[in-house]
Amino acid sequence: MSTFPPERLETERLILRVPRMRDAGAIFERYAADEEVSRYMLWDPHADIQETRLFLASCVHAWSVGEGERSWVITRR
């Protein structure tokens, strides 16, 4: 039985996977607090890491119940 959307997608160079709470630091530091990044997004830059943790908690919950908007984390292979 397959799940939709899949929890993991792989290409030759990238892996898209379900977010984890331990991703919060990297997400906050690399782009969530960046005003240039969020300029073109539907969300404002995160003011602190707690805001990123709240976002990730909602992502983890959506995946665990199989409902709502589900996001992936993109990493290099």
Side-chain angles (χ1 to χ4, degrees):
M1 181 173 139
S2 65
T3 6
F4 187 82
E7 293 184 5
R8 186 177 180 94
L9 297 170
E10 296 186 33
T11 70
E12 187 176 308
R13 295 182 302 152
L14 300 173
I15 297 172
L16 282 72
R17 64 166 173 78
V18 173
R20 296 173 254 199
M21 291 305 295
R22 66 178 176 252
D23 295 323
I27 290 172
F28 179 74
E29 291 170 10
R30 292 192 177 106
Y31 72 88
D34 189 323
E35 290 183 17
E36 268 308 296
V37 171
S38 63
R39 178 179 179 186
Y40 302 102
M41 304 304 285
L42 298 175
W43 44 268
D44 293 327
H46 293 185
D48 55 44
I49 197 165
Q50 183 58 24
E51 200 169 342
T52 305
R53 286 184 184 123
L54 288 170
F55 166 73
L56 281 174
S58 70
C59 292
V60 169
H61 176 74
W63 278 103
S64 70
V65 298
E67 294 179 341
E69 186 175 324
R70 285 166 267 178
S71 301
W72 287 280
V73 168
I74 302 171
T75 61
R76 290 188 182 123
R77 196 165 178 77

